[in-house]
Amino acid sequence: MVNKPGSEEQSDAPVLRHWEPKSKRTPVRLRHKIEKASAAKQRKTRKLAKKNPEWRSRLKKDPGIPNLFPYKDKILQQIEEKKRLKEEEALKRREEAKTTGAVAVGTNDASVAVDGEDGDHLLDETMTDEEDAGSSNPMAALLASAKAQAVEYEEASDDDDDNNTMQLDATDRDLDLGASITLSQPHDSSRRSFDKVYKTILSSSDIILYVLDARDPNGTRSQEVEREITAADSGSKRLILILNKIDLVPPPIVQSWLKYLRRYFPTLPLRASTPASNARTFDHKSLTVKGTSETLLRALKTYAHGKQLKRSTTVGILGYPNVGKSSVINALTSCLGGGATRSQSHACPVGAEAGITTALREVKLDNKLRLLDSPGIVFPAEAAASKLSEAAKPSAAENRRLSKRDDHARLILLNAIPPKQITDPVPAVTLLLSRLADSKDLMDAMLAVYGVPPLVAGVNGDVTTDFLVHVARKRGRLGKGGVPNLVAAAMTVITDWRDGRIQGWTQPPTDAEERTNDQKMVVREWAKEFRLEGLWEKAGSAQAVEIDFGGDDVMSE
């Protein structure tokens, strides 16, 4: 029966319903919440990774060949075969190198036994032999060339060692700057350029300011240089010792050094610049940067006015690297008053490291005074030379090596070597600890800087390793696997010593040489030319120093 349209009877056929899947789209709010949580977790992971001292490689590990790869076994066999062939080829090359090296060593031993002119002749022969061998066996020619260059380098180093041990010649009174180390210049600078800088300063200057570090005046002083200056131009040169960086030394030590140095030459204390941040300084009250600079400028102007020369008076400045020579010029230019511009008050570039000044620089103060800045020069050390001459004779090479190492450590503590040129700072830290060990207060103050407990002596009484391990852990100087990096820790100690965060100074010698009447007369006459008597009489403070030149060694406090 067919249902007609409009009939009320319903069909029995099933009704099909379409299933609509639920949407997987998440709300934007939830998606942003997940992204923020993921970013926060990644930041936390990176932060914890930075605090973890263990070393981890940044290179991702090779996951290898997947196990489901159908040709994995075949690929692994090919890899093993390539590795075996590579090892066999390397072994074959080593055997060939051994056989050819034995022949090359025999030929080079014959060439080493020849000296002088015969050595040059034999060198030419070996070069021709190398060319012949190179056509047949390149490895033999390479080994022979390397051996010949090694022999030539050893001969050159022996010649340098002989030059370093030469003594100063008193007949021609010419400084042997070949034994000196000028570290404000690059390594490839020659001895002739160093000698030229010193002789230029000596010949063109009327007054020479010899700048010393107040922490170690005798370490930055050369008596041979002083004798050269006083003997130049029939004694017409004038020399003034400048005791710089006095704010790093307590007032009693400064006064003791002034009393000692004024036995030989006129000496003035100076604070040429402000100290570094966190430096442990002492308050000298009247001896301020402005006061000491004005005193020095007044003395120089007095001498220039008294001489009444038709030309301007030239003031040369000498000293070790990083003793503050350029800072002395900047301090003098800043005393010119309102007429001094910023460029004049900062006439010379300065820095905490040695080697900022690399060439001679002339600065004009006024019509009567010209200043001549010079790069730092490390002059020959008489003490080191005497120690070397009195050293034990069994092994001269060993004594020379130890002397070089000790001299290098001494120059590091004098801040005469730029940090980039310091090869081994650990001996310098050892020398610093040995100096501070004489004073319990100074040693305790240094340990307090790093928060280090009392040091424990190791094998052979060595306390340097224990100290550097503590410093490395305190300052985060750790290497792979959290192992303390002793070299980096030693550089940290050297930097703190340079900037004055570690206190330390030397005492003046107690067994000073007795002055002759000529020395007393020279000091007294030079002091009158500069009118150095009573320069601090107007200070009116309890620490005002009354300068006494020439007479008895009396200093009133």
Side-chain angles (χ1 to χ4, degrees), residues 36 54 94 116 122 134-135 156 222 321 343 356-357 363 386 431 457 485 539:
K36 290 181 180 179
E54 295 183 0
R94 284 197 296 267
L122 232 172
S135 60
S222 175
S343 60
I356 301 298
T357 304
V363 178
S386 62
L431 180 59
N485 190 342

Side-chain angles (χ1 to χ4, degrees), residues 181-247:
I181 306 173
T182 303
L183 295 159
S184 62
Q185 301 278 359
H187 281 298
D188 56 354
S189 298
S190 62
R191 163 189 169 181
R192 186 175 301 174
S193 64
F194 304 156
D195 197 8
K196 183 178 179 180
V197 169
Y198 170 74
K199 289 184 177 180
T200 301
I201 293 287
L202 185 61
S203 60
S204 59
S205 301
D206 302 310
I207 307 171
I208 294 180
L209 303 182
Y210 199 170
V211 185
L212 308 177
D213 192 336
R215 292 179 291 181
D216 190 5
N218 271 354
T220 54
R221 178 187 175 200
S222 175
Q223 296 182 1
E224 182 65 25
V225 173
E226 297 171 359
R227 288 191 289 268
E228 287 283 331
I229 295 172
T230 54
D233 290 348
S234 302
S236 61
K237 308 290 183 180
R238 295 295 179 263
L239 174 64
I240 297 180
L241 302 181
I242 303 297
L243 200 63
N244 195 19
K245 302 182 181 181
I246 59 174
D247 53 330

Side-chain angles (χ1 to χ4, degrees), residues 7 36 89 114-115 221 250 288 294 324 342 349 418 448 471:
S7 63
K36 290 181 180 179
E89 186 178 356
V114 182
D115 295 333
R221 178 187 175 200
T288 60
E294 290 178 349
R342 178 174 178 83
V471 173

Side-chain angles (χ1 to χ4, degrees), residues 530-548:
F530 292 96
R531 294 185 185 177
L532 296 180
E533 296 89 346
L535 283 177
W536 282 277
E537 290 178 355
K538 299 180 182 180
S541 63
Q543 289 186 348
V545 181
E546 181 182 354
I547 304 178
D548 182 15

Side-chain angles (χ1 to χ4, degrees), residues 162 252 337 452 538:
D162 295 338
V452 174
K538 299 180 182 180

Side-chain angles (χ1 to χ4, degrees), residues 487-504:
V487 175
M491 288 301 301
T492 301
V493 176
I494 296 301
T495 302
D496 293 339
W497 164 258
R498 179 197 66 194
D499 295 339
R501 299 184 185 94
I502 299 177
Q503 293 180 345

Side-chain angles (χ1 to χ4, degrees), residues 65 69-81:
I65 304 174
F69 192 76
Y71 304 103
K72 180 177 180 179
D73 296 338
K74 193 173 183 180
I75 293 176
L76 290 178
Q77 291 177 1
Q78 293 177 358
I79 293 175
E80 292 295 332
E81 183 66 18

